Amino acid sequence: MTDDRIFVGRDTELTQIENAVSDWPTQQAIFINAAGGLGKTRLLQEIYQHYHNYQSQQKHLLVGNIIDFDDQAYHIARNVRYRIAQILGEQAFEPYLQKLLQLHHLRAKGISQRHLQQEIELINQNFVTCFNQITKYNRVVLLFDTTEALIEPHDGAYLSKIVGGLNNCVLIIAGRNGEHIAEFWQSQIGKSGQLINLSPLSTLASEIYLQYKQAQHHLTLETDLTTKILLLSQGRPILIDLTVEWLTRSMSMSWLAELELEQLQSLPPEAMKVKQDIFEAQLVSHIVNIRTPLDRLILAMSRVYPLDPGLTQALLMVSYETAVQLLEQVLGYVFIKQLPDQRISLHDEMRRMVSQYVWPKVDPDQQRQRRDSRLAATYLSQQIEETTEKLIQAENLTIIAPTEQLTHFLQKDALEGRLWHLKGQQLSHVLVVALNNGFKLFIDLFDQALTHQLPFRDILLTAIRPYLDQLTVDQAYQVNIRQLWYLADRGQYGPMNQLASHLASQANLSLSHQAEFLIQRAKAEIRLGHLLVGIATYNEAVSICHQHGLVDKLLRALTGRGWVYENRGNYDAALEDYLTAFTLSVEQNNRPQVAWTLNNLAYVNAMKGNQETAFQNSREALELWKKLEFPKGLGMAYKTLGEISWRFNQPKHAIGYYDQALDIFTQTDNIELMSTVRCQMANTLMMLGQLDEADKHLKWALENGPVSLKPEVFFWQAQAYWKQGNLVAARDWFQKCRQISQQVGELFNDYKSFVDLTALMWEFKNCHQWQDLYEAHEKQYTNTNNEFFLRLRGSFYRHIGDLAIRDGNYEAALKFYKLGLPLIATYEYYQPYIVETQLNQTYERIICLDKPIVAKLGQDLALFWKNRQDLLAKSPNVLAKFVDWQYHRED
Amino acid sequence: MSNYDQSKISFLLTQVFTREELVFFCYDTPNWQIIYDSLTPHLEQAIMIERIIDHAAQTHQFPILLAWAEKYHQTEYHQHAPYTHHEFQPDKYNSLYIDQSHIKQKILEPHPYHLIDAPAGYGKTHLLIELESRLLNQGYYGLFITLTPNLTLLEVVQWFFRECGLIYEGDATNIKLMGLKLGTLLRQYRRPSITQRGLVFFIDFAELNQLHLFDELLTEFIPFVEKSLRVDSFFQGNPVSFRVICAGRYLASHYNSFIRPPIQLKVISLVPFSYQTIFQLVTKHLPSMLTDDTISQLAAHLLFISGGHPGTVSKLLALYQEMGGLPPDEFIAFFEAEIKAILTTIFSDFQQSIPHDLQTVVMQLGIFRYLSYNLLSQLIEADHIWGYDDSYHLADSLTLTHLFDWDESGRLLHNKILHSVLLPRWQQHPNNIELAQQICAAKFKNSTTHLPEMWLIEYLYYTLLCNMLSITDTASRQKLRDHFLGYILPEALQHLINQRNRHEEKNALRQALKRDNQFRFMVNYCLRDMQYNNEPYTMLIQQIDKFFRLDRSFIRKNHLD
């Protein structure tokens, strides 16, 4: 856009922004909300220009050019971050970029999706750290435009993830959905922002603007005509721009000339709206005649964008030189925008008007649109080939100097990003041309977009979503199931659950599809910690599969349900499910599934104490994997054997098995599993008292494993120190575990560490800290109510009760015991932590108290337990314990 | 022939008036009894309105009908006004039919730069001369230049200086500077003259290959004259104080290729003459003692032979005058050779004047009155069109020329100029007409075709043309009429309603026929008895009505509803 364009009527907004920019060192978020054509982009341009000029005088203010979400490349968060890095200087972001490079290497080593996501979270925080390093000494202004191009309802979340944690900066975010994003900002991330509802230009401002435009175009309009234009454009600069533009091009505006001004001025609002719609239509109606290359270009660009000379050449069937000239010449028009990569696009309001008023007229049968898409798809196909070729060349470069590695990686990353962007564009056009072909392409591309290309799956899903209703039932199913997989891979279990529930309840669904959606829903429920609901959903799936002979799905449903039962300590039910799954796998001759199921059976039998059966199952799995020659399966079988051995107090055997598992995972370079096995080895070595050896394994896992495994490692390290009696080190490592867990969003390890820290307070004799711990707990850990957390909560309250009673606060202690013990009794299944075991520990702690206190406690708790029939039925022994306390029988 | 917009009037009566009101009108109004008597209680309102319209047309009573409509529903009447056809489409009008109100409205509106664009022989120069006369009468200081072959830009600019009696002393290689200087000198030495009303340049691009000169004038000279003049307060405040009116052949398509034109020319295209125009021309230029029938007959012959090409009409009229005003039929028969010679010369001029890159397409597509993407694709695939392999690209190239326009449906490209001009040529090449006829037949018989009624009309049109070539006398024409109305038409209608909603097709066909004056003319001319009149067309409409009435009875009788 040219710099000599007038800018009127936004003094209030500019003042508001000026105040925000001056408010060092806060983060200020300003959301500019307005309908199309009111001048959001122009405002951003003005802000950029003003502070860019200011920047050259004031060294501590940095402003970046507008990041426009109309460019789909910015729908990938990494690209936005990289753009910000480019704006502020890549050197300052080198740690972040290096982490990206490391992540790239890690991906190649088969890290699981869950850990990958956590890894990415950490790297993104690294970005924030680098940014905040810059803003220690500089204030940064970042400008974002066309936020409505982001897909609701994730638009607010997307933005906040990228910029939410940035310090000392002003974020100016403009879009038609500005209000929605502002609300999200306020409600979801708890920060206040300023909402500017950009209103149409005032009458005076519009008049000034129109006068200026006339002067610019050497045009003099009659007073009546200007009044009509002002009335109809209703303060929308884009309409004033277009009107003047077309009048100077002698476009026939006879409709405008023939309109009676008095009549227009006296119209009621509804009738005026009708006239305004007609006015808009008139502004683009000349394009219907397709008289000029500009008409052709606008038509093409309204559907295929952004354009570069090659694509223009393909669409308009002109020479490359002509295409270059055309694009250069249109740049001066107000309705054309140029992206940072020099490609051009229509102003989105112009695009809307052309789509609404012109296309239905020039293309009633939509054949032209198909043809344009066909040409675009062909061109994009060539571009994809060329980019793929370049990427292969880049990847084949094996000798790269260490100092060049980052640059090389970034170039490759950019190429890959461009490649996927082209694929996404290609898909959207192939879908227009031939839906079936588009569907097939979608499946191909989606399945190609592997772990590190996950964000591109979102682009592909977005492209096909509008066509869901037109697909066949099977095709729609294929798309929906992939949507669910994608949500699972991104850890978005809430949306996954919602979608799966909706899909499972659709009418006219085939039973097979219904069963699959139920299985996915169950998975989501489990991930969200709603185990009972998950079981119920699996039950439904199992029932359908049983009744209708859907063997493959039955297998998966049974395995899934078995896992839930196993986690809830319902080992008999788990066994039943696994056995049925095993039988089915054998009947199906699905040998890998047989092997996996044997593994599961081994584990459950171990939990039930069936030692021989557990070992037998595990060995059978091992033999089968050997025949199948599947290293991962083999490694997992050895790992399970190790766990079983550990469980049955055979640590030396356990170590042997872990060693074998480690060998296999080392050969396959599976860092994640290597790290997990080392953690388990460390645990086992601790049992053997070989603490130094244990330490080495933990250190290895710490140094080499994915960052997302660190919570696990830190936890085991803390446990190791605790076992060594080094309480201070244990406490430090628990705190580190909490920190790292919070960074990667690993709530479970965070909570676990917190509970163990509470337990440690007893060892440090810091009983008086119970109040602080309680408050911290209530603030941070009471939002999540899944079973895993409820178990920990029960333990926490029990520990707090111990501390409180020791601190002399009987009433508080009683309250905590009444809160905690039922939770433990209901949800805890693991032997070392069941309610009876925990009560034993409590008794050991309180035995030093005065006998009347212990007796009273026993009495009160006995009464409490007696009055809870559910608890009494579950754990009658607990009542006996309390009575023993009451009468000091435990002594 | 009525100049009233019958479809608009029909729409007004349909939308606004009740059945009762219409019945009362027929009852109360003198000379409408015949219509009142023909009304039956169960007669559909649409048919009633049709009869009213037809009666008004035949008896020239539209003014009475419209006065009544205005009296009883004034608001709605004005909302739907106007109700007259202009012979000229917006931005298009004939050079020889000079209507002061149109000139004032179109060329003299507040826009400074115009381009009159038309093929050879349309009277552009004549129009330019007329405009010069009018603007000079208004007080403009005018300069008229006809650009002869091989003129350079420098020579043109030097001519302007000479014509103004001004001397340029400066760098003769810098045209922009010369333009600025011209403006300055005019302000200095000719201010009283140029500020009386303004200054106007008339530039006649008489020859075809002057695109380079056209570009140079638009980019190097005219804008700089304007810039220099706008320094003066008289020129600053008045947008039409400095005007340029150009005329040329096929300049519009070249001008349209500018993405950012250096000056904004308003393009005005000229269209062929209609029957009414020729009728009025004949009336104007021939002795007043000629009867209306003679004038009518002559006008019909002139239109058919010339296709409405103004230059041809002019020459034929001159020949007729020269021959002393024979009976029209005899004039055509006895002077066939002379007429052919005129046509050959004019067509040769016309063909040579078509730009090289358009020649092939024009000659291949000119036969069709309407084109669609689908038709273009067919022609491309059948190798009838060379140089294009995409129908959309081809269509865009056609609209660029201003010779083709998209109609309101967005499905048909209307060939308003070329078809008429090339019509005489097609008559010499019956194979092309047959090909067009076959293509149109295939289209309307295909149940998936959009707007089949349009293609039906085209089929009938080309059928008439084909058959006309073998017509030698009145008897054979009468045979043709009987065969056309009795066999060809019903058979075509049967195909039309096959697998379609006959009610919808009937209405669509009626609407399409009402809009198509050229088809009406062709029917009246090809199927006339001896004298050219509206009778054949009336019979055609009656046959169509009869077909649909019989068809409905058949369907009812056989419980096919």
Side-chain angles (χ1 to χ4, degrees), chain A residues 8-34:
Chain A
V8 295
R10 299 295 184 205
D11 295 332
T12 312
E13 290 83 0
L14 288 174
T15 306
Q16 208 171 337
I17 287 161
E18 177 68 39
N19 291 339
V21 173
S22 310
D23 195 5
W24 193 299
T26 60
Q27 184 202 68
Q28 294 283 336
I30 298 179
F31 303 94
I32 300 174
N33 180 66

Short mmCIF file of all heavy atoms in Angstrom, two decimals, chain A residues 8-34:
data_model
loop_
_atom_site.label_atom_id
_atom_site.label_comp_id
_atom_site.label_asym_id
_atom_site.label_seq_id
_atom_site.Cartn_x
_atom_site.Cartn_y
_atom_site.Cartn_z
N VAL A 8 -7.78 9.32 8.22
CA VAL A 8 -8.63 10.26 8.94
C VAL A 8 -9.43 9.56 10.02
O VAL A 8 -9.67 8.35 9.95
CB VAL A 8 -9.64 10.98 8.00
CG1 VAL A 8 -8.93 11.86 7.02
CG2 VAL A 8 -10.53 9.98 7.30
N GLY A 9 -9.84 10.35 10.97
CA GLY A 9 -10.91 9.94 11.88
C GLY A 9 -10.60 8.88 12.90
O GLY A 9 -11.52 8.26 13.42
N ARG A 10 -9.34 8.64 13.22
CA ARG A 10 -9.07 7.59 14.21
C ARG A 10 -8.21 8.14 15.35
O ARG A 10 -7.38 7.41 15.92
CB ARG A 10 -8.34 6.42 13.54
CG ARG A 10 -9.13 5.74 12.42
CD ARG A 10 -10.37 5.07 12.91
NE ARG A 10 -11.07 4.36 11.85
CZ ARG A 10 -12.38 4.09 11.88
NH1 ARG A 10 -13.11 4.51 12.90
NH2 ARG A 10 -12.96 3.42 10.89
N ASP A 11 -8.41 9.36 15.69
CA ASP A 11 -7.57 9.99 16.72
C ASP A 11 -7.73 9.30 18.07
O ASP A 11 -6.75 9.08 18.79
CB ASP A 11 -7.92 11.48 16.86
CG ASP A 11 -7.56 12.24 15.60
OD1 ASP A 11 -6.63 11.78 14.91
OD2 ASP A 11 -8.20 13.25 15.29
N THR A 12 -8.98 8.96 18.40
CA THR A 12 -9.22 8.32 19.71
C THR A 12 -8.48 6.99 19.79
O THR A 12 -7.83 6.69 20.80
CB THR A 12 -10.73 8.05 19.89
OG1 THR A 12 -11.44 9.23 19.55
CG2 THR A 12 -11.04 7.62 21.31
N GLU A 13 -8.57 6.24 18.72
CA GLU A 13 -7.91 4.93 18.72
C GLU A 13 -6.40 5.08 18.80
O GLU A 13 -5.72 4.35 19.53
CB GLU A 13 -8.28 4.16 17.44
CG GLU A 13 -9.73 3.69 17.39
CD GLU A 13 -10.71 4.75 16.91
OE1 GLU A 13 -10.24 5.87 16.61
OE2 GLU A 13 -11.92 4.46 16.84
N LEU A 14 -5.88 6.04 18.07
CA LEU A 14 -4.42 6.24 18.08
C LEU A 14 -3.94 6.67 19.46
O LEU A 14 -2.88 6.24 19.92
CB LEU A 14 -4.03 7.28 17.02
CG LEU A 14 -4.14 6.80 15.58
CD1 LEU A 14 -3.87 7.95 14.61
CD2 LEU A 14 -3.16 5.67 15.30
N THR A 15 -4.76 7.48 20.12
CA THR A 15 -4.39 7.91 21.48
C THR A 15 -4.37 6.71 22.42
O THR A 15 -3.45 6.56 23.24
CB THR A 15 -5.39 8.96 21.99
OG1 THR A 15 -5.47 10.02 21.05
CG2 THR A 15 -4.97 9.49 23.35
N GLN A 16 -5.39 5.87 22.27
CA GLN A 16 -5.47 4.68 23.12
C GLN A 16 -4.24 3.80 22.92
O GLN A 16 -3.65 3.28 23.87
CB GLN A 16 -6.74 3.91 22.73
CG GLN A 16 -7.33 3.10 23.84
CD GLN A 16 -8.69 2.53 23.45
OE1 GLN A 16 -9.37 3.06 22.56
NE2 GLN A 16 -9.07 1.47 24.09
N ILE A 17 -3.84 3.67 21.69
CA ILE A 17 -2.69 2.84 21.38
C ILE A 17 -1.41 3.49 21.89
O ILE A 17 -0.53 2.82 22.43
CB ILE A 17 -2.65 2.56 19.87
CG1 ILE A 17 -3.77 1.57 19.52
CG2 ILE A 17 -1.30 1.98 19.44
CD1 ILE A 17 -4.16 1.53 18.08
N GLU A 18 -1.34 4.78 21.74
CA GLU A 18 -0.17 5.51 22.22
C GLU A 18 -0.01 5.28 23.73
O GLU A 18 1.11 5.05 24.22
CB GLU A 18 -0.35 7.00 21.91
CG GLU A 18 0.77 7.89 22.43
CD GLU A 18 2.09 7.65 21.72
OE1 GLU A 18 2.07 7.44 20.49
OE2 GLU A 18 3.13 7.65 22.40
N ASN A 19 -1.12 5.36 24.43
CA ASN A 19 -1.07 5.14 25.89
C ASN A 19 -0.58 3.73 26.21
O ASN A 19 0.20 3.53 27.13
CB ASN A 19 -2.46 5.35 26.52
CG ASN A 19 -2.87 6.81 26.46
OD1 ASN A 19 -2.03 7.70 26.32
ND2 ASN A 19 -4.17 7.06 26.55
N ALA A 20 -1.06 2.80 25.42
CA ALA A 20 -0.65 1.40 25.66
C ALA A 20 0.85 1.23 25.38
O ALA A 20 1.56 0.57 26.13
CB ALA A 20 -1.47 0.47 24.77
N VAL A 21 1.30 1.84 24.32
CA VAL A 21 2.73 1.71 23.96
C VAL A 21 3.61 2.35 25.03
O VAL A 21 4.70 1.86 25.33
CB VAL A 21 2.99 2.33 22.57
CG1 VAL A 21 4.47 2.37 22.25
CG2 VAL A 21 2.26 1.54 21.49
N SER A 22 3.10 3.39 25.63
CA SER A 22 3.90 4.09 26.64
C SER A 22 3.94 3.36 27.97
O SER A 22 4.74 3.70 28.84
CB SER A 22 3.32 5.48 26.90
OG SER A 22 3.11 6.14 25.68
N ASP A 23 3.07 2.39 28.12
CA ASP A 23 2.92 1.75 29.43
C ASP A 23 3.96 0.66 29.65
O ASP A 23 3.64 -0.52 29.76
CB ASP A 23 1.50 1.19 29.55
CG ASP A 23 1.15 0.84 30.98
OD1 ASP A 23 1.97 1.12 31.88
OD2 ASP A 23 0.06 0.27 31.19
N TRP A 24 5.19 1.10 29.70
CA TRP A 24 6.32 0.22 29.95
C TRP A 24 6.21 -0.32 31.37
O TRP A 24 5.91 0.46 32.28
CB TRP A 24 7.59 1.06 29.77
CG TRP A 24 8.85 0.30 29.67
CD1 TRP A 24 9.38 -0.51 30.63
CD2 TRP A 24 9.78 0.29 28.58
NE1 TRP A 24 10.58 -1.03 30.20
CE2 TRP A 24 10.86 -0.55 28.94
CE3 TRP A 24 9.80 0.91 27.32
CZ2 TRP A 24 11.93 -0.78 28.09
CZ3 TRP A 24 10.89 0.67 26.51
CH2 TRP A 24 11.94 -0.16 26.89
N PRO A 25 6.56 -1.52 31.79
CA PRO A 25 6.94 -2.65 30.93
C PRO A 25 5.84 -3.72 30.87
O PRO A 25 6.11 -4.90 30.94
CB PRO A 25 8.14 -3.21 31.69
CG PRO A 25 7.75 -3.01 33.15
CD PRO A 25 6.79 -1.85 33.20
N THR A 26 4.60 -3.24 30.76
CA THR A 26 3.48 -4.19 30.81
C THR A 26 3.27 -4.88 29.47
O THR A 26 3.77 -4.44 28.45
CB THR A 26 2.18 -3.44 31.13
OG1 THR A 26 1.98 -2.48 30.08
CG2 THR A 26 2.28 -2.71 32.47
N GLN A 27 2.47 -5.94 29.54
CA GLN A 27 1.95 -6.49 28.29
C GLN A 27 0.57 -5.90 28.09
O GLN A 27 -0.28 -5.99 28.97
CB GLN A 27 1.82 -8.03 28.36
CG GLN A 27 1.36 -8.60 27.02
CD GLN A 27 0.72 -9.97 27.14
OE1 GLN A 27 -0.36 -10.12 27.69
NE2 GLN A 27 1.36 -10.98 26.58
N GLN A 28 0.39 -5.27 26.96
CA GLN A 28 -0.91 -4.68 26.65
C GLN A 28 -1.46 -5.37 25.41
O GLN A 28 -0.77 -5.50 24.41
CB GLN A 28 -0.75 -3.18 26.33
CG GLN A 28 -0.29 -2.35 27.50
CD GLN A 28 -1.40 -2.11 28.48
OE1 GLN A 28 -2.57 -2.15 28.12
NE2 GLN A 28 -1.04 -1.86 29.72
N ALA A 29 -2.68 -5.82 25.56
CA ALA A 29 -3.34 -6.43 24.39
C ALA A 29 -4.49 -5.54 23.96
O ALA A 29 -5.34 -5.21 24.77
CB ALA A 29 -3.85 -7.82 24.75
N ILE A 30 -4.46 -5.16 22.70
CA ILE A 30 -5.54 -4.31 22.17
C ILE A 30 -6.20 -5.06 21.04
O ILE A 30 -5.54 -5.47 20.08
CB ILE A 30 -4.98 -2.97 21.67
CG1 ILE A 30 -4.33 -2.23 22.83
CG2 ILE A 30 -6.08 -2.13 21.05
CD1 ILE A 30 -3.71 -0.92 22.44
N PHE A 31 -7.49 -5.24 21.18
CA PHE A 31 -8.25 -5.99 20.17
C PHE A 31 -9.09 -5.00 19.38
O PHE A 31 -9.91 -4.29 19.94
CB PHE A 31 -9.15 -7.02 20.86
CG PHE A 31 -8.38 -7.97 21.73
CD1 PHE A 31 -8.23 -7.72 23.08
CD2 PHE A 31 -7.78 -9.09 21.19
CE1 PHE A 31 -7.51 -8.57 23.88
CE2 PHE A 31 -7.06 -9.95 21.99
CZ PHE A 31 -6.91 -9.70 23.34
N ILE A 32 -8.84 -5.00 18.10
CA ILE A 32 -9.60 -4.08 17.23
C ILE A 32 -10.66 -4.91 16.53
O ILE A 32 -10.36 -5.82 15.75
CB ILE A 32 -8.69 -3.40 16.20
CG1 ILE A 32 -7.61 -2.61 16.93
CG2 ILE A 32 -9.50 -2.50 15.29
CD1 ILE A 32 -6.57 -2.00 16.02
N ASN A 33 -11.89 -4.60 16.86
CA ASN A 33 -13.01 -5.37 16.33
C ASN A 33 -13.80 -4.51 15.35
O ASN A 33 -14.18 -3.39 15.67
CB ASN A 33 -13.90 -5.79 17.50
CG ASN A 33 -15.09 -6.59 17.05
OD1 ASN A 33 -14.95 -7.70 16.56
ND2 ASN A 33 -16.28 -6.03 17.18
N ALA A 34 -14.03 -5.03 14.16
CA ALA A 34 -14.84 -4.26 13.21
C ALA A 34 -15.24 -5.15 12.05
O ALA A 34 -14.54 -6.11 11.73
CB ALA A 34 -14.05 -3.06 12.68
#
